[in-house]
Amino acid sequence: MSTGSGAASAPAPDPHDTPAAPDTPARRTSMFASLRVRNYRLFFLGQVVSNIGTWMQRIAQDWLVLSLTGSSAAVGITTALQFLPMLLFGLYGGVLVDRLRKRPTLLVTQTAMALTSLVLAALTLTGRVEVWHIYVAAFALGLATVVDNPARQSFVSELVGPGQLQNAVSLNSANFQSARLVGPAVAGLLITGVGTGWAFLLNGLSFVAPLAGLMMMRARELHAVERAPRGKGQLREGVRYVTGRPELIWPIVLVGFIGTFAFNFPVYLSAFADDVFHGGAGVYSMFNTLMAVGSVSGALLAARRGTARLRLLILAALAFGTLEILAAASPELWMFALIMVPLGLFSMTVNVTTNTSLQMATDPAMRGRVMALYMMVFLGGSPVGAPIVGWVTDTYGARVGFAAGGAVAVAAAAVIGLILARVGGLRLSVGWHRGHPQVRFLPREPQETLTPAV
């Protein structure tokens, strides 16, 4: 695989080298094929419980900050602090993940995250919690995520092998988003009934499930993956590897723009629930639940696809940004809530397609660094974007903030789609097929030789 430096000198993507080639025919597979693997099944079931707790904490944390401060910008700061460690140290986390065994690493990081939640629960339940406590807890959680996230992403290939990677990544996403159907609803009941502290406590206890699943796995059934030896310059090597491959660097750039400006849902949705539609925690939870319905649908549809196309990524990003703009202009609560479903579907399609295409196009020994760079850009953009969109939302209103995020997503998808088409020797074709608009990337036709008139 090429490790040349600089996207400008990179060759066009080879359709035999990457399954993400734009016109590779899609393969269909059983929607739940990966669950036949015992180790993956243990991993999946543990994540079901933990993800419900994670969504409970997300909703409770955002609403607690908004209740204490009355500021969308403060919610944005909390989000920024949670993802700031990924921005600062994400690549170093990827280097560590490539060197370390994944299962013991996850045992350590999951334990650290559980302790963080339990400490925040104790402060809240005793009535001593202040905003700076939440800021510190968010930053501590982010530090654990620096290693936990790339370790979990790359561990999937060890559980199921390359043949079922697309299916397993999609099921992981469906798992996370299915928990979003339950977690926000439970969080809303807890917040209005007994307080936010109980949501933090239950989240801390939920980590028992994934820890038990990791310990019950059979090491001999894990797929052997090459680990990177200790050495100098591994961080620079990882960056050169990504920048030398257009099928890696440009999807990462795209999700960087989307993650920074368009995926700040804690800021947008809490502002719409509180300021625009004058609802409470229940309305905010409803928005998240409806998005989860769409996200689960998007993840399950992705689980049936055997390949991840870059063309699908671009089209999903365009649709996602357009839906955000439409949601921002929705005059009624029911209309805004209805758009949350397809918005969740296309956001999940962007997420799963990017994740899978990157993993399938990456050498195993580089996977931790590539996924760390991806997560650093995708999640690490929040420290930059969340305060900005929080300020825009506070100053100009939730509608302007949401529409601006959607406009960034549309512009980024359009520009990067054209770049990928040019690098891959393709041209954009827009037309109609059976009464419906059709957008395709087709091979460029060689120019005809012109003969001078005599």
Side-chain angles (χ1 to χ4, degrees):
M1 298 231 177
S2 170
T3 56
S5 59
S9 62
D14 184 349
H16 298 290
D17 188 44
T18 170
D23 289 315
T24 302
R27 291 188 291 106
R28 296 288 179 181
T29 186
S30 171
M31 187 175 290
F32 303 103
S34 298
L35 290 176
R36 300 191 189 107
V37 180
R38 180 182 181 275
N39 281 345
Y40 179 76
R41 192 161 59 246
L42 289 170
F43 180 81
F44 184 90
L45 293 174
Q47 292 298 310
V48 168
V49 178
S50 181
N51 286 336
I52 291 174
T54 297
W55 278 111
M56 289 168 56
Q57 173 145 334
R58 283 192 177 189
I59 301 300
Q61 176 181 279
D62 297 338
W63 200 258
L64 180 59
V65 171
L66 194 64
S67 300
L68 292 173
T69 65
S71 169
S72 295
V75 177
I77 291 171
T78 306
T79 303
L81 287 170
Q82 187 163 329
F83 298 120
L84 180 61
M86 182 64 74
L87 180 63
L88 297 177
F89 311 117
L91 285 176
Y92 295 99
V95 171
L96 283 174
V97 167
D98 279 336
R99 293 176 182 172
L100 300 172
R101 289 189 300 155
K102 307 300 185 296
R103 188 165 62 136
T105 301
L106 288 171
L107 286 169
V108 173
T109 57
Q110 295 279 295
T111 301
M113 296 165 80
L115 292 174
T116 301
S117 298
L118 292 174
V119 169
L120 186 57
L123 289 170
T124 308
L125 290 172
T126 57
R128 299 176 182 177
V129 69
E130 298 180 20
V131 175
W132 72 268
H133 291 144
I134 305 172
Y135 289 166
V136 171
F139 188 78
L141 188 63
L143 285 174
T145 303
V146 166
V147 177
D148 183 81
N149 220 312
R152 274 190 299 107
Q153 300 284 348
S154 55
F155 188 47
V156 174
S157 64
E158 295 187 27
L159 294 170
V160 300
Q164 299 191 70
L165 183 60
Q166 160 91 4
N167 181 260
V169 169
S170 301
L171 289 180
N172 281 352
S173 300
N175 184 334
F176 186 69
Q177 297 302 326
S178 297
R180 195 175 180 180
L181 294 171
V182 180
V186 176
L189 292 173
L190 289 173
I191 291 169
T192 56
V194 294
T196 55
W198 289 98
F200 300 142
L201 177 61
L202 292 177
N203 179 50
L205 296 176
S206 73
F207 282 94
V208 171
L211 290 171
L214 288 166
M215 289 186 288
M216 291 169 62
M217 288 179 184
R218 296 170 183 164
R220 66 181 182 277
E221 294 179 7
L222 294 173
H223 291 255
V225 173
E226 179 186 357
R227 280 190 284 154
R230 279 185 183 272
K232 294 183 178 180
Q234 289 179 323
L235 192 153
R236 290 192 300 272
E237 181 188 8
V239 173
R240 285 197 302 269
Y241 180 83
V242 172
T243 56
R245 297 174 63 87
E247 71 274 23
L248 298 181
I249 184 61
W250 289 114
I252 289 176
V253 171
L254 174 59
V255 299
F257 278 103
I258 293 176
T260 300
F261 298 105
F263 264 34
N264 284 286
F265 296 117
V267 177
Y268 296 136
L269 299 187
S270 62
F272 266 87
D274 194 41
D275 299 332
V276 177
F277 298 119
H278 308 292
V283 173
Y284 180 45
S285 296
M286 179 188 70
F287 290 157
N288 280 277
T289 300
L290 289 170
M291 276 199 70
V293 172
S295 297
V296 171
S297 302
L300 291 177
L301 288 173
R304 296 193 63 189
R305 290 191 295 267
T307 57
R309 300 183 184 183
L310 294 180
R311 179 180 69 181
L312 177 63
L313 170 62
I314 299 300
L315 295 177
L318 286 169
F320 170 77
T322 302
L323 285 168
E324 282 202 345
I325 295 171
L326 291 175
S330 299
E332 302 291 340
L333 172 62
W334 68 267
M335 191 180 299
F336 182 89
L338 192 63
I339 293 176
M340 293 298 101
V341 177
L343 187 66
L345 187 150
F346 284 108
S347 71
M348 183 50 52
T349 303
V350 170
N351 194 340
V352 171
T353 305
T354 305
N355 189 314
T356 308
S357 65
L358 292 178
Q359 291 208 51
M360 295 178 74
T362 302
D363 285 328
M366 301 292 297
R367 192 166 285 146
R369 277 164 283 183
V370 172
M371 297 312 294
L373 180 62
Y374 161 59
M375 298 309 299
M376 184 187 78
V377 172
F378 182 50
L379 299 179
S382 292
V384 177
I388 294 174
V389 301
W391 175 81
V392 171
T393 299
D394 279 343
T395 305
Y396 300 103
R399 295 189 185 279
V400 173
F402 209 15
V408 170
V410 169
V415 171
I416 291 172
L418 293 174
I419 292 173
L420 283 170
R422 185 174 183 83
V423 169
L426 304 173
R427 63 180 176 83
L428 181 66
S429 172
V430 182
W432 288 83
H433 179 69
R434 296 179 180 178
H436 300 285
Q438 184 179 60
V439 180
R440 296 183 296 168
F441 288 118
L442 301 175
R444 283 202 188 95
E445 298 176 0
Q447 293 183 352
E448 295 181 0
T449 304
L450 299 179
T451 55
V454 182

